[in-house]
Amino acid sequence: MFRILFLFLLLSIAAASGSGYWLYKNHLTAPLPLHKDLHYTIESGATLHQVAADLKAQRLLNYPAALAWVRLAHYQKRAHLIKAGEYLIPKSTTPQELLDIFIAGKTIQYSLSFPEGWNFQQLMAAVRKHPQIVQTLGDNKSIMAKLGWREIHPEGRFFPDTYLFPSGTTDVEFLQRAYKMMEKELMAAWENRRDDLPLKTPYEALILASIIEKETGVAEERPLIASVFVRRLKKNMLLQTDPTVIYALGAAFDGNIRKRDLKVKSPYNTYVNKGLPPTPIAMPGRAALYAAVNPADSQALYFVAKGDGSHYFSATYREHQCAVIEYQKKSSRRQCRKYFAH
């Protein structure tokens, strides 16, 4: 009798194993019935059983396949590891591979890039325009409070870069990430600063970096631009930098700076106010941050645009006047010498 029962048990185990193998072979290793790649979204909080039911409702898995799929996940103790998000499922994917994809969390990543030199208004316009970012914020005035930094001015506080994120990312999540990245980059630059700077805080370095960013797009010039401003700050001279005036003018700026603009009443007008403006005027990149705290060793106190994107740097006002005559008034250096001879 014992032998009969033992034989029956062996046959039952073999049958169960055979059934399990058949389910695995026929329902978990055959490709899904897809004619093309599929975008599939797992909603936040969805369980494996709910996902399996949805896959069955969409006829991506039949009942035996859905049952085997759930059993496999539980057998591997991975049923609780699936992650919400939007996925790209290749048409050759098998149910077993689909489970691996959902557990690995390989969601579709979207991107948003904003360049060095953008201001906060431009950044927010790009964030609000992105179709995959969930909009939760109101007007720009209340944004910093909702981000958790009520007393902080937003200008210059977000690091310019290309950010990847899944669909459903909120504007708050995106901005918090860019803010923390700027904090990280700013502190990294500040910790490697020169000892003789006329800058008391990392925030002052951020303000200076924003001006440097707006003054030139030529990478190798940034330390020279920084040197001019650092020397002027040390000498208690006016910075006299056009980008701060443009920022002060705001929407009134029409592309040209006139003499009357240089007299505009604003704390950002560095033609009438000594020292740094009260806040950054743009979002500086890594190179500008580093230049602000590591200016070049230069005697230059002036620079003028040469018309090709670069600048001519001068140590004396007389030399600077000659450079202005040559590059802005399109006259020769010989005429400059004649001008100053009289």
Side-chain angles (χ1 to χ4, degrees):
M1 183 68 178
F2 176 77
R3 288 182 178 180
I4 295 174
L5 289 174
F6 182 70
L7 181 60
F8 178 77
L9 179 62
L10 287 178
L11 290 173
S12 297
I13 293 173
S17 298
S19 175
Y21 178 77
W22 184 85
L23 281 173
Y24 173 80
K25 186 70 175 176
N26 289 275
H27 295 295
L28 297 181
T29 61
L32 297 169
L34 297 174
H35 300 295
K36 60 181 180 179
D37 296 348
L38 171 71
H39 282 240
Y40 184 83
T41 300
I42 297 179
E43 300 296 337
S44 179
T47 66
L48 180 74
H49 287 276
Q50 290 171 329
V51 173
D54 183 63
L55 292 171
K56 188 163 69 73
Q58 295 192 39
R59 298 184 178 181
L60 297 175
L61 294 178
N62 57 29
Y63 178 78
L67 180 63
W69 194 69
V70 171
R71 284 183 176 178
L72 175 65
H74 282 290
Y75 174 76
Q76 296 176 341
K77 298 181 179 180
R78 300 195 300 168
H80 63 291
L81 297 178
I82 63 168
K83 298 174 178 65
E86 181 184 6
Y87 294 86
L88 178 63
I89 311 302
K91 63 180 181 179
S92 59
T93 301
T94 66
Q96 181 179 3
E97 292 169 340
L98 183 65
L99 181 62
D100 293 336
I101 290 172
F102 290 164
I103 290 174
K106 297 178 181 178
T107 57
I108 297 173
Q109 296 293 296
Y110 295 91
S111 69
L112 175 58
S113 300
F114 54 100
E116 296 91 343
W118 267 20
N119 60 33
F120 181 64
Q121 299 285 347
Q122 291 171 304
L123 168 60
M124 286 311 303
V127 170
R128 290 191 171 105
K129 186 179 179 180
H130 200 290
Q132 303 302 328
I133 295 179
V134 178
Q135 306 299 319
T136 67
L137 296 170
D139 62 271
N140 289 356
K141 294 180 180 179
S142 62
I143 286 176
M144 294 307 286
K146 292 182 179 179
L147 292 179
W149 300 292
R150 183 181 299 276
E151 303 302 324
I152 294 177
H153 193 283
E155 197 65 82
R157 288 291 191 168
F158 304 91
F159 189 72
D161 204 349
T162 296
Y163 293 88
L164 300 178
F165 51 89
S167 177
T169 296
T170 66
D171 43 14
V172 169
E173 292 169 335
F174 179 88
L175 291 171
Q176 285 177 332
R177 182 179 169 192
Y179 180 94
K180 291 175 182 177
M181 182 60 73
M182 178 58 85
E183 285 284 283
K184 178 182 176 182
E185 293 291 342
L186 176 59
M187 292 312 300
W190 183 251
E191 289 172 2
N192 290 281
R193 67 189 184 280
R194 286 175 52 160
D195 296 329
D196 58 344
L197 295 176
L199 305 173
K200 298 178 181 179
T201 65
Y203 190 58
E204 289 186 351
L206 180 63
I207 295 172
L208 179 57
S210 73
I211 298 173
I212 295 166
E213 191 68 76
K214 294 300 290 184
E215 275 287 7
T216 183
V218 180
E220 58 269 21
E221 282 193 350
R222 291 190 180 105
L224 282 169
I225 296 286
S227 177
V228 170
F229 290 140
V230 164
R231 295 193 73 228
R232 281 177 166 260
L233 288 171
K234 287 182 177 180
K235 291 177 176 290
N236 199 31
M237 296 173 63
L238 292 167
L239 294 185
Q240 295 183 319
T241 169
D242 290 354
T244 62
V245 175
I246 294 171
Y247 188 82
L249 293 173
F253 179 63
D254 62 2
N256 294 304
I257 294 181
R258 301 168 178 81
K259 286 186 177 181
R260 66 174 183 268
D261 296 330
L262 303 182
K263 300 177 182 180
V264 65
K265 292 182 179 181
S266 168
Y268 289 92
N269 185 355
T270 55
Y271 278 85
V272 297
N273 301 297
K274 289 184 178 180
L276 296 166
T279 74
I281 60 172
M283 294 178 290
R286 187 176 293 112
L289 290 170
Y290 183 83
V293 296
N294 290 280
D297 292 320
S298 169
Q299 297 302 309
L301 278 171
Y302 308 90
F303 57 86
V304 63
K306 293 166 65 175
D308 61 357
S310 65
H311 296 81
Y312 183 90
F313 294 84
S314 305
T316 67
Y317 185 61
R318 182 183 180 91
E319 182 185 5
H320 175 63
Q321 286 180 301
C322 282
V324 170
I325 289 172
E326 178 176 0
Y327 293 109
Q328 292 194 348
K329 297 183 179 180
K330 307 301 180 183
S331 299
S332 68
R333 281 300 177 100
R334 184 177 298 177
Q335 287 176 306
C336 173
R337 286 193 293 271
K338 288 181 179 180
Y339 175 80
F340 285 108
H342 292 83

